[in-house]
Amino acid sequence: MIGVLGALSEAWDEVRVHKSRVVLSLVGVFLAVFAMTTVTALGLIVAQVQQENAERTGGRAATIVVQAFDPMTGMPPAAEEWDAAVADLVERYGITTSANMAYGEGLYRLPGGTQRVQTMRVSPSYGVLHRKEPVQGRWFREGDRSSLSPALVVNEAFLEALGVPDLSSRPTVVLGGPAPVTATIVGVVREGYGTELIAYRVDRSGGPWGDAGAVDPAQAMYGGPTSLELWVGTDQADQVMETVTHDLRLALDGAQVDAYRQDAQGMEETLAMLRLAIRGAGVVVLVLGGLGVLNIGLVTVRQRIREIGVRRSFGATSGRVFSAVMLESVCATALAGVAAVGAAIVLVRNLPVEQWFNDGIPLAEAPGFPVAAAIEGMVAATAVGALAGLLPAIIAVRAKVIDAIRF
């Protein structure tokens, strides 16, 4: 341990003595590590954006969609029978995340007149499964199922059509139908194109749903019966689809049950290739910076050859000389790596990443700065120092004492 600490101390002293040379040799390493770390961090954030966008549409891996209908009439099973069968299925197999979802169309009394709006009736857990991140307010909670005022999550175009700037006034809207009811808007999502109105309504199964403002699937553009979505492990998807289809057919008295995987399959492979390409570009940049350190190291060790010969004549071993020259390069590049990673963190954290890459939608799982990028930057800087110091260290060890003194 004393020998290791002595070698490190000696290497650090050499860095301090040759400040100008060290700074000159580290400019390239600093820029290379800074570029690599920044590009890697932005690449990881972009990959996270792509993954979350795919999961907003199709659900997380693996999302299984289950639908049931009578093979003779094409009608879905009764709501009570379906809910009971689904509840028994989820409890029996311990499925932690499941959600009911149905497309429909509802009547909304807006300032410009009553309009039919595409409405999705969903369970609160649908937000977890599809990474719904409201830009204002919140997503549905379990308590919304029993609220006397139905909870709504709408898009920004809907809020604009309602003539409300934000949710600070707790806006409401009247749902039309035979028995109108006032619904409360609890969240706003950034979805839809142009002036397209979108609304989500909490599934109030078991609550005071009634007929007030009911969502009509027959009038909807993508109407249909209630679907069940299950979030399971990717390695269990095929088995789950087979088991769920079999059990629900028995529970629903021979109804036709279809199960299929909805999430974007192959997304993990695509993202892995994206991350690999980003790291490859960073390595190329880093190698170019390391060549500069190597060249200056070779020149320096030839200038110090007399010093090395004197040290060898006073008993310095080959290992001590090798480690001193090698660690000098490692200490210098590690210091440059710390500075470069710090600069990359400051830059990335102050960039409007969500505005650039995700249309202002908050990322659910992206940290302020990807830790993996910082670790890779430091490891790369240290590795470059070790590789750049290897050849000069070998030259220093192979120099003969008498020839070095005469140099």
Side-chain angles (χ1 to χ4, degrees):
M1 181 61 69
I2 294 176
V4 173
L5 293 178
L8 288 174
S9 177
E10 183 179 351
W12 179 247
D13 288 338
E14 290 293 337
V15 171
R16 292 175 57 191
V17 170
H18 303 283
K19 293 179 181 178
S20 58
R21 176 185 60 80
V22 170
V23 171
L24 181 62
S25 66
L26 295 182
V27 170
V29 175
F30 172 84
L31 294 177
V33 174
F34 173 73
M36 176 184 177
T37 306
T38 303
V39 170
T40 302
L42 291 177
L44 293 175
I45 292 175
V46 171
Q48 182 67 24
V49 169
Q50 295 299 322
Q51 180 177 348
E52 292 194 11
N53 284 335
E55 291 177 352
R56 286 191 190 97
T57 303
R60 304 198 189 199
T63 297
I64 308 299
V65 177
V66 185
Q67 295 178 330
F69 57 91
D70 189 302
M72 300 298 294
T73 64
M75 297 297 293
E80 296 79 6
E81 185 181 5
W82 169 261
D83 291 341
V86 167
D88 180 67
L89 178 76
V90 171
E91 182 179 0
R92 184 186 314 132
Y93 293 105
I95 299 175
T96 57
T97 302
S98 63
N100 283 324
M101 181 273 294
Y103 287 97
E105 195 170 72
L107 292 173
Y108 296 83
R109 298 185 181 181
L110 303 175
T114 301
Q115 295 188 34
R116 291 187 176 273
V117 177
Q118 285 288 321
T119 304
M120 288 182 63
R121 191 177 71 247
V122 298
S123 303
S125 54
Y126 182 88
V128 176
L129 208 157
H130 287 268
R131 291 190 182 274
K132 294 298 181 180
E133 294 292 331
V135 294
Q136 294 185 48
R138 60 173 176 83
W139 185 252
F140 299 122
R141 297 191 292 237
E142 284 297 328
D144 294 328
R145 290 178 181 269
S146 57
S147 174
L148 296 178
S149 176
L152 295 178
V153 173
V154 301
N155 68 343
E156 293 173 306
F158 190 105
L159 202 64
E160 183 178 352
L162 192 60
V164 178
D166 52 48
L167 300 184
S168 59
S169 61
R170 298 182 60 84
T172 60
V173 61
V174 176
L175 305 183
V181 65
T182 300
T184 301
I185 299 176
V186 298
V188 180
V189 293
R190 186 160 290 164
E191 295 180 11
Y193 300 95
T195 58
E196 178 187 8
L197 306 186
I198 296 177
Y200 292 89
R201 181 170 177 176
V202 67
D203 184 3
R204 295 161 62 89
S205 300
W209 179 267
D211 294 325
V215 176
D216 185 5
Q219 298 293 330
M221 185 182 302
Y222 306 105
T226 299
S227 300
L228 172 66
E229 294 188 352
L230 305 174
W231 180 18
V232 300
T234 54
D235 57 335
Q236 302 174 332
D238 293 335
Q239 181 181 357
V240 169
M241 286 189 288
E242 180 180 353
T243 303
V244 166
T245 301
H246 175 268
D247 288 11
L248 285 181
R249 281 176 181 170
L250 295 177
L252 299 175
D253 195 21
Q256 177 66 39
V257 179
D258 294 329
Y260 59 92
R261 186 170 171 178
Q262 180 178 259
D263 61 286
Q265 301 182 50
M267 176 59 68
E268 288 297 328
E269 290 78 4
T270 302
L271 294 177
M273 291 298 295
L274 175 61
R275 295 187 181 101
L276 183 62
I278 291 169
R279 287 186 173 91
V283 168
V284 171
V285 175
L286 191 62
V287 168
L288 296 177
L291 289 176
V293 178
L294 175 60
N295 290 333
I296 294 180
L298 290 174
V299 173
T300 302
V301 78
R302 293 190 180 277
Q303 292 176 347
R304 295 174 56 193
I305 199 71
R306 182 178 179 83
E307 172 196 337
I308 294 171
V310 171
R311 293 178 62 184
R312 292 290 302 274
S313 67
F314 277 90
T317 63
S318 298
R320 186 61 178 267
V321 172
F322 181 90
S323 62
V325 177
M326 168 75 82
L327 290 177
E328 179 182 344
S329 176
V330 171
C331 290
T333 55
L335 182 63
V338 171
V341 170
I345 292 174
V346 172
L347 176 63
V348 172
R349 295 199 61 169
N350 286 278
L351 291 176
V353 175
E354 293 177 349
Q355 294 292 338
W356 287 356
F357 303 124
N358 206 33
D359 197 26
I361 302 174
L363 290 174
E365 295 185 3
F369 187 88
V371 177
I375 294 175
E376 288 180 11
M378 285 302 305
V379 171
T382 306
V384 164
L387 293 175
L390 180 61
L391 186 56
I394 293 175
I395 293 175
V397 169
R398 288 185 175 181
K400 295 181 179 180
V401 177
I402 190 64
D403 293 338
I405 294 175
R406 288 176 178 175
F407 187 83

